[in-house]
Amino acid sequence: MECKRQFSIILIKLFFIQYLSVLCAARNFDFFYFVLQWPGSYCDTAKSCCYPTTGKPAADFGIHGLWPNYNDGSYPSNCDPNAPFDQSQISDLRSSMLKNWPTLACPSGNGITFWSHEWEKHGTCSESVLNQHQYFQTALNLKNQINLLQALRTAGIVPDGSSYSLESIKDAIKEASGFSPWIECNVDESGNSQLYQIYLCVDTSASNFINCPVFPNGKKCGSQIEFPPF
């Protein structure tokens, strides 16, 4: 009996330690990166892309993710193995997510694999602030706060394959959002640098855009970059 009691105590302690580690990991971040990607640049590469099973998405910036981050540039990931993605939690958001958070990975999919990855890698690290439904709803709300494509069009920057200065793209987004973005580029099949992803920073409540404490170490852009059609 004594052996069983001690074993039970050890199990309880291990569970408590695991719970604390997950809780601390989820609480310990400094801001979010809100990342949107241009589908034309995702597809215009040697790797190419596959449209979702629902068909070709609209020619608009799509959500890539909402990522907890630290001020030193590092980030937490996969913080809670006990909170797997559950699509039933976001059934009311599905139509909006298909439109605003489409998958372009091959083979063609319905978004579930993409969204599951984003929740389990990034979303679980914000559980102290957002549950699963709130995580996806918040990202959709943030996208609705700023129309990046319209901001660029207003500045005469359109997705027609032309090249534009990196500074003009940053200035257009700052004019619309009030904050300086970080721009990530990739290259097309000819090796030309093109506008791929736009990063904006969000406070830990996931409610407000803020000045980025640090920019990521991603693929940097040249002074002139293409904005391909989709």
Side-chain angles (χ1 to χ4, degrees):
M1 289 296 293
E2 178 63 22
C3 186
K4 283 186 176 181
R5 189 179 71 84
Q6 290 181 356
F7 182 68
S8 297
I9 291 172
I10 290 171
L11 285 178
I12 291 170
K13 286 181 177 180
L14 287 173
F15 175 80
F16 186 66
I17 290 170
Q18 183 182 31
Y19 172 79
L20 284 178
S21 65
V22 168
L23 184 63
C24 289
R27 287 182 181 276
N28 186 25
F29 68 97
D30 299 314
F31 67 97
F32 290 96
Y33 280 130
F34 181 53
V35 187
L36 297 112
Q37 63 185 10
W38 178 245
S41 298
Y42 185 105
C43 293
D44 187 17
T45 63
K47 185 179 179 181
S48 191
C49 69
C50 292
Y51 296 155
T53 52
T54 50
K56 182 180 179 180
D60 192 10
F61 284 91
I63 298 170
H64 185 169
L66 181 64
W67 304 340
N69 228 76
Y70 298 127
N71 285 339
D72 65 1
S74 63
Y75 60 89
S77 65
N78 302 102
C79 293
D80 188 358
N82 298 312
F85 177 75
D86 178 2
Q87 59 181 301
S88 70
Q89 297 285 323
I90 57 166
S91 56
D92 61 316
L93 304 177
R94 186 175 178 83
S95 61
S96 182
M97 289 179 64
L98 287 169
K99 176 183 177 182
N100 295 288
W101 204 326
T103 178
L104 291 168
C106 294
S108 295
N110 59 5
I112 298 300
T113 299
F114 184 21
W115 305 331
S116 175
H117 169 79
E118 290 301 310
W119 166 252
E120 292 177 6
K121 181 176 181 179
H122 301 288
T124 56
C125 299
S126 64
E127 286 184 291
S128 63
V129 182
L130 306 168
N131 63 31
Q132 189 172 144
H133 184 275
Q134 291 167 336
Y135 176 77
F136 290 102
Q137 180 69 74
T138 296
L140 293 169
N141 292 345
L142 289 169
K143 185 175 185 292
N144 288 334
Q145 287 185 37
I146 179 170
N147 187 328
L148 290 180
L149 185 58
Q150 185 57 53
L152 293 172
R153 286 187 182 277
T154 299
I157 301 168
V158 295
D160 60 2
S162 299
S163 292
Y164 301 92
S165 74
L166 177 61
E167 289 307 312
S168 68
I169 293 171
K170 289 181 177 179
D171 289 345
I173 296 170
K174 184 176 182 180
E175 178 69 22
S177 69
F179 301 98
S180 296
W182 192 81
I183 309 297
E184 180 181 355
C185 291
N186 64 3
V187 294
D188 63 18
E189 289 188 275
S190 301
N192 299 308
S193 181
Q194 55 187 4
L195 174 59
Y196 174 42
Q197 297 198 126
I198 295 174
Y199 292 64
L200 288 164
C201 292
V202 180
D203 65 15
T204 52
S205 72
S207 303
N208 306 293
F209 290 112
I210 59 172
N211 288 314
C212 287
V214 63
F215 288 125
N217 295 315
K219 295 177 181 177
K220 296 182 179 180
C221 306
S223 58
Q224 294 282 323
I225 57 177
E226 290 185 358
F227 193 10
F230 180 63

Coordinates of all heavy atoms in Angstrom, one line a residue, residues 15-69:
F15 N 2.6 15.2 -13.2 CA 1.5 15.9 -13.9 C 1.5 17.4 -13.6 O 1.3 18.2 -14.5 CB 0.2 15.3 -13.5 CG -1.0 16.0 -14.1 CD1 -1.4 15.7 -15.5 CD2 -1.7 16.9 -13.4 CE1 -2.5 16.4 -16.0 CE2 -2.8 17.6 -14.0 CZ -3.2 17.3 -15.3
F16 N 1.7 17.7 -12.4 CA 1.7 19.1 -12.0 C 2.9 19.9 -12.6 O 2.7 21.0 -13.1 CB 1.8 19.2 -10.4 CG 1.7 20.6 -9.9 CD1 0.5 21.3 -10.1 CD2 2.7 21.3 -9.3 CE1 0.3 22.6 -9.6 CE2 2.6 22.5 -8.8 CZ 1.4 23.2 -9.0
I17 N 4.0 19.2 -12.7 CA 5.2 19.8 -13.3 C 5.0 20.1 -14.8 O 5.3 21.1 -15.3 CB 6.5 19.0 -13.1 CG1 6.9 19.0 -11.6 CG2 7.6 19.5 -14.0 CD1 8.0 18.0 -11.2
Q18 N 4.4 19.1 -15.4 CA 4.1 19.2 -16.9 C 3.1 20.3 -17.1 O 3.2 21.1 -18.0 CB 3.5 17.9 -17.4 CG 3.2 17.9 -18.9 CD 2.6 16.6 -19.4 OE1 1.9 16.0 -18.7 NE2 2.9 16.3 -20.6
Y19 N 2.1 20.4 -16.2 CA 1.1 21.4 -16.4 C 1.7 22.8 -16.2 O 1.4 23.7 -17.0 CB 0.0 21.2 -15.3 CG -1.0 22.4 -15.2 CD1 -2.0 22.5 -16.2 CD2 -0.9 23.3 -14.2 CE1 -3.0 23.5 -16.1 CE2 -1.8 24.4 -14.2 CZ -2.8 24.5 -15.1 OH -3.7 25.5 -15.0
L20 N 2.6 23.0 -15.2 CA 3.2 24.2 -15.0 C 4.1 24.6 -16.2 O 4.2 25.8 -16.6 CB 4.1 24.2 -13.7 CG 3.3 24.3 -12.4 CD1 4.2 24.2 -11.2 CD2 2.5 25.6 -12.3
S21 N 4.8 23.6 -16.7 CA 5.7 23.9 -17.9 C 4.9 24.4 -19.1 O 5.3 25.3 -19.8 CB 6.6 22.7 -18.2 OG 5.8 21.7 -18.7
V22 N 3.8 23.8 -19.3 CA 2.9 24.2 -20.4 C 2.4 25.5 -20.2 O 2.4 26.4 -21.1 CB 1.8 23.1 -20.7 CG1 0.8 23.7 -21.6 CG2 2.4 21.8 -21.2
L23 N 1.9 25.8 -19.0 CA 1.3 27.1 -18.6 C 2.3 28.2 -18.8 O 2.1 29.2 -19.3 CB 0.7 27.0 -17.2 CG 0.0 28.3 -16.7 CD1 -1.2 28.5 -17.6 CD2 -0.4 28.2 -15.3
C24 N 3.5 27.9 -18.3 CA 4.6 29.0 -18.3 C 5.0 29.2 -19.8 O 5.2 30.4 -20.2 CB 5.8 28.5 -17.5 SG 5.5 28.6 -15.8
A25 N 5.1 28.2 -20.6 CA 5.4 28.3 -22.0 C 4.4 29.2 -22.7 O 4.7 30.0 -23.5 CB 5.6 27.0 -22.6
A26 N 3.1 28.9 -22.4 CA 2.0 29.6 -23.0 C 2.0 31.1 -22.6 O 1.6 31.9 -23.4 CB 0.7 28.9 -22.7
R27 N 2.4 31.4 -21.4 CA 2.3 32.7 -20.9 C 3.5 33.5 -21.3 O 3.5 34.7 -21.5 CB 2.2 32.8 -19.4 CG 0.9 32.3 -18.9 CD 0.8 32.4 -17.3 NE -0.4 32.0 -16.8 CZ -1.5 32.8 -16.7 NH1 -1.4 34.0 -17.1 NH2 -2.6 32.3 -16.2
N28 N 4.6 32.9 -21.5 CA 5.9 33.5 -21.7 C 6.2 33.9 -23.1 O 7.0 33.2 -23.8 CB 7.0 32.7 -21.1 CG 8.4 33.4 -21.1 OD1 8.4 34.6 -21.1 ND2 9.4 32.6 -21.2
F29 N 5.5 34.9 -23.6 CA 5.9 35.5 -24.9 C 5.6 37.0 -24.9 O 4.9 37.5 -24.0 CB 5.1 34.8 -26.1 CG 3.6 35.1 -26.1 CD1 3.1 36.1 -26.9 CD2 2.7 34.3 -25.3 CE1 1.7 36.3 -26.9 CE2 1.4 34.5 -25.3 CZ 0.9 35.5 -26.1
D30 N 6.2 37.7 -25.8 CA 6.2 39.2 -25.7 C 5.3 39.9 -26.7 O 4.9 41.0 -26.5 CB 7.7 39.7 -25.9 CG 8.6 39.1 -24.8 OD1 8.2 39.2 -23.6 OD2 9.7 38.7 -25.1
F31 N 5.1 39.2 -27.8 CA 4.2 39.8 -28.8 C 3.9 38.8 -29.9 O 4.4 37.6 -29.8 CB 4.9 41.0 -29.5 CG 6.1 40.7 -30.3 CD1 6.0 40.5 -31.7 CD2 7.3 40.5 -29.8 CE1 7.1 40.2 -32.5 CE2 8.4 40.2 -30.5 CZ 8.3 40.0 -31.9
F32 N 3.0 39.1 -30.8 CA 2.7 38.2 -31.9 C 3.2 38.8 -33.2 O 3.2 40.0 -33.4 CB 1.2 38.0 -32.1 CG 0.4 37.3 -31.1 CD1 -0.2 37.9 -30.0 CD2 0.3 35.9 -31.1 CE1 -0.9 37.2 -29.0 CE2 -0.4 35.2 -30.2 CZ -1.0 35.9 -29.2
Y33 N 3.6 37.9 -34.1 CA 3.7 38.3 -35.5 C 2.4 37.8 -36.2 O 2.0 36.7 -36.1 CB 4.9 37.5 -36.2 CG 6.3 38.1 -36.0 CD1 7.3 37.2 -35.6 CD2 6.5 39.4 -36.2 CE1 8.6 37.7 -35.4 CE2 7.8 39.9 -36.0 CZ 8.8 39.1 -35.6 OH 10.1 39.6 -35.4
F34 N 1.8 38.8 -36.9 CA 0.7 38.5 -37.8 C 1.2 38.5 -39.2 O 1.6 39.5 -39.7 CB -0.4 39.5 -37.6 CG -1.7 39.2 -38.4 CD1 -2.3 38.0 -38.3 CD2 -2.2 40.2 -39.2 CE1 -3.4 37.7 -39.1 CE2 -3.4 39.9 -40.0 CZ -4.0 38.7 -39.9
V35 N 1.2 37.3 -39.8 CA 1.8 37.1 -41.1 C 0.8 36.8 -42.2 O 0.0 35.9 -42.1 CB 2.8 35.9 -41.0 CG1 3.7 35.9 -42.3 CG2 3.8 36.1 -39.8
L36 N 0.9 37.6 -43.3 CA 0.0 37.4 -44.4 C 0.9 37.2 -45.7 O 1.9 37.8 -45.8 CB -0.9 38.6 -44.6 CG -1.9 38.9 -43.5 CD1 -1.5 40.2 -42.8 CD2 -3.3 38.9 -44.0
Q37 N 0.4 36.3 -46.5 CA 1.2 36.0 -47.7 C 0.4 36.3 -49.0 O -0.8 36.2 -49.1 CB 1.6 34.5 -47.7 CG 0.5 33.5 -47.7 CD 1.0 32.1 -47.5 OE1 2.1 31.8 -47.2 NE2 0.1 31.1 -47.7
W38 N 1.2 36.6 -50.0 CA 0.6 36.9 -51.3 C 0.6 35.6 -52.1 O 1.7 35.0 -52.4 CB 1.4 38.0 -52.1 CG 0.9 38.2 -53.5 CD1 1.5 38.0 -54.6 CD2 -0.4 38.7 -53.8 NE1 0.7 38.3 -55.7 CE2 -0.5 38.8 -55.2 CE3 -1.5 39.2 -53.0 CZ2 -1.7 39.3 -55.8 CZ3 -2.7 39.6 -53.6 CH2 -2.7 39.7 -55.0
P39 N -0.6 35.1 -52.5 CA -0.6 33.8 -53.2 C 0.1 33.7 -54.5 O 0.6 32.7 -54.9 CB -2.1 33.6 -53.4 CG -2.7 34.9 -53.4 CD -1.9 35.7 -52.4
G40 N 0.2 34.9 -55.2 CA 0.9 34.9 -56.5 C 2.4 34.6 -56.4 O 2.9 33.9 -57.2
S41 N 3.0 35.0 -55.3 CA 4.4 34.7 -55.0 C 4.6 33.3 -54.5 O 5.6 32.7 -54.7 CB 4.9 35.8 -54.0 OG 4.9 37.1 -54.6
Y42 N 3.6 32.8 -53.7 CA 3.7 31.4 -53.2 C 3.7 30.5 -54.4 O 4.5 29.5 -54.5 CB 2.5 31.1 -52.3 CG 2.6 29.7 -51.7 CD1 2.9 29.6 -50.3 CD2 2.3 28.6 -52.4 CE1 2.9 28.4 -49.7 CE2 2.3 27.3 -51.8 CZ 2.7 27.2 -50.5 OH 2.7 26.0 -49.9
C43 N 2.9 30.8 -55.4 CA 2.7 29.9 -56.6 C 3.8 30.1 -57.6 O 4.1 29.2 -58.4 CB 1.3 30.1 -57.2 SG 0.0 29.5 -56.1
D44 N 4.3 31.3 -57.7 CA 5.3 31.7 -58.8 C 6.7 31.3 -58.4 O 7.6 32.2 -58.3 CB 5.1 33.1 -59.2 CG 6.0 33.5 -60.4 OD1 6.4 32.5 -61.2 OD2 6.3 34.7 -60.7
T45 N 6.9 30.1 -58.1 CA 8.3 29.6 -57.7 C 8.5 28.2 -58.4 O 7.6 27.7 -59.0 CB 8.4 29.3 -56.2 OG1 7.4 28.3 -55.8 CG2 8.1 30.6 -55.4
A46 N 9.7 27.7 -58.3 CA 10.0 26.4 -58.9 C 9.2 25.3 -58.3 O 8.8 24.3 -58.9 CB 11.5 26.1 -58.8
K47 N 8.8 25.5 -57.0 CA 8.0 24.5 -56.3 C 6.6 24.6 -56.7 O 5.9 23.6 -56.7 CB 8.1 24.8 -54.8 CG 7.4 23.8 -53.9 CD 7.7 24.1 -52.5 CE 7.0 23.1 -51.5 NZ 7.1 23.4 -50.1
S48 N 6.1 25.7 -57.2 CA 4.7 25.9 -57.6 C 3.7 25.7 -56.4 O 4.1 25.8 -55.2 CB 4.3 25.0 -58.8 OG 3.1 25.4 -59.3
C49 N 2.5 25.5 -56.7 CA 1.5 25.4 -55.7 C 0.3 24.5 -56.1 O 0.2 24.2 -57.3 CB 0.9 26.8 -55.2 SG -0.1 27.6 -56.5
C50 N -0.6 24.2 -55.2 CA -1.9 23.5 -55.6 C -3.0 24.3 -55.0 O -3.0 24.6 -53.8 CB -1.8 22.1 -55.1 SG -0.6 21.0 -55.9
Y51 N -4.0 24.6 -55.8 CA -5.2 25.3 -55.2 C -6.0 24.4 -54.3 O -5.9 23.1 -54.4 CB -6.1 25.7 -56.4 CG -5.5 26.7 -57.3 CD1 -6.0 26.8 -58.6 CD2 -4.5 27.6 -56.9 CE1 -5.5 27.7 -59.5 CE2 -4.0 28.5 -57.8 CZ -4.4 28.6 -59.1 OH -3.9 29.5 -60.0
P52 N -6.7 25.0 -53.3 CA -7.5 24.1 -52.4 C -8.5 23.3 -53.2 O -8.9 23.6 -54.3 CB -8.1 25.2 -51.5 CG -7.3 26.4 -51.7 CD -6.8 26.4 -53.0
T53 N -9.0 22.3 -52.5 CA -10.1 21.5 -53.1 C -11.3 22.3 -53.4 O -12.2 21.9 -54.2 CB -10.4 20.3 -52.2 OG1 -10.7 20.8 -50.9 CG2 -9.2 19.3 -52.1
T54 N -11.5 23.4 -52.8 CA -12.6 24.3 -53.0 C -12.5 25.2 -54.2 O -13.4 26.0 -54.6 CB -12.9 25.2 -51.8 OG1 -11.7 25.8 -51.3 CG2 -13.5 24.3 -50.6
G55 N -11.3 25.2 -54.8 CA -11.0 26.0 -56.0 C -10.0 27.1 -55.7 O -9.5 27.3 -54.6
K56 N -9.7 27.9 -56.8 CA -8.7 28.9 -56.7 C -9.1 30.0 -55.7 O -10.3 30.5 -55.8 CB -8.4 29.5 -58.1 CG -7.4 30.6 -58.1 CD -7.1 31.2 -59.5 CE -6.1 32.3 -59.5 NZ -5.8 32.8 -60.8
P57 N -8.3 30.4 -54.8 CA -8.7 31.5 -53.8 C -8.7 32.8 -54.5 O -8.2 33.0 -55.7 CB -7.5 31.5 -52.8 CG -6.8 30.2 -53.0 CD -7.0 29.8 -54.4
A58 N -9.3 33.8 -53.9 CA -9.3 35.1 -54.4 C -7.9 35.7 -54.5 O -7.0 35.3 -53.7 CB -10.2 36.0 -53.5
A59 N -7.7 36.7 -55.4 CA -6.4 37.3 -55.5 C -6.3 38.4 -54.4 O -6.6 39.6 -54.6 CB -6.3 38.0 -56.9
D60 N -6.0 37.9 -53.2 CA -5.8 38.7 -52.0 C -4.8 38.1 -51.1 O -4.5 36.9 -51.2 CB -7.2 38.8 -51.3 CG -7.2 39.9 -50.2 OD1 -6.3 40.7 -50.2 OD2 -8.2 40.0 -49.4
F61 N -4.3 38.9 -50.2 CA -3.4 38.4 -49.2 C -4.1 37.4 -48.3 O -5.2 37.7 -47.8 CB -2.8 39.5 -48.4 CG -1.7 40.3 -49.1 CD1 -2.0 41.4 -49.8 CD2 -0.4 39.9 -49.0 CE1 -1.0 42.1 -50.5 CE2 0.6 40.6 -49.7 CZ 0.3 41.7 -50.4
G62 N -3.5 36.3 -48.0 CA -4.1 35.3 -47.2 C -3.3 35.2 -45.9 O -2.1 35.5 -45.8
I63 N -4.0 34.8 -44.8 CA -3.3 34.6 -43.5 C -2.4 33.4 -43.6 O -2.7 32.4 -44.1 CB -4.3 34.4 -42.4 CG1 -5.3 35.6 -42.3 CG2 -3.6 34.1 -41.1 CD1 -6.5 35.3 -41.3
H64 N -1.2 33.6 -43.1 CA -0.3 32.5 -42.9 C -0.3 32.1 -41.4 O -0.5 30.9 -41.1 CB 1.2 32.8 -43.3 CG 2.1 31.7 -43.2 ND1 3.4 31.7 -43.6 CD2 2.0 30.4 -42.6 CE1 4.0 30.6 -43.4 NE2 3.2 29.8 -42.8
G65 N -0.3 33.0 -40.5 CA -0.4 32.6 -39.1 C -0.3 33.8 -38.2 O 0.0 34.9 -38.5
L66 N -0.6 33.5 -36.9 CA -0.5 34.4 -35.8 C 0.5 33.8 -34.8 O 0.1 32.8 -34.2 CB -1.9 34.6 -35.2 CG -1.9 35.6 -34.0 CD1 -1.6 37.0 -34.4 CD2 -3.4 35.6 -33.4
W67 N 1.7 34.3 -34.7 CA 2.8 33.6 -34.1 C 3.3 34.3 -32.8 O 3.9 35.4 -32.9 CB 4.0 33.4 -35.0 CG 3.6 32.7 -36.3 CD1 2.5 31.9 -36.6 CD2 4.3 32.8 -37.6 NE1 2.5 31.5 -37.9 CE2 3.6 32.0 -38.5 CE3 5.5 33.4 -38.0 CZ2 4.1 31.8 -39.8 CZ3 6.0 33.2 -39.3 CH2 5.2 32.5 -40.2
P68 N 3.2 33.7 -31.6 CA 3.8 34.2 -30.4 C 5.3 34.3 -30.6 O 5.9 33.4 -31.2 CB 3.4 33.2 -29.3 CG 2.2 32.6 -29.8 CD 2.4 32.5 -31.3
N69 N 5.9 35.4 -30.1 CA 7.4 35.6 -30.3 C 8.0 36.3 -29.1 O 7.3 36.9 -28.3 CB 7.6 36.5 -31.5 CG 8.6 35.9 -32.5 OD1 8.4 35.0 -33.2 ND2 9.8 36.5 -32.4

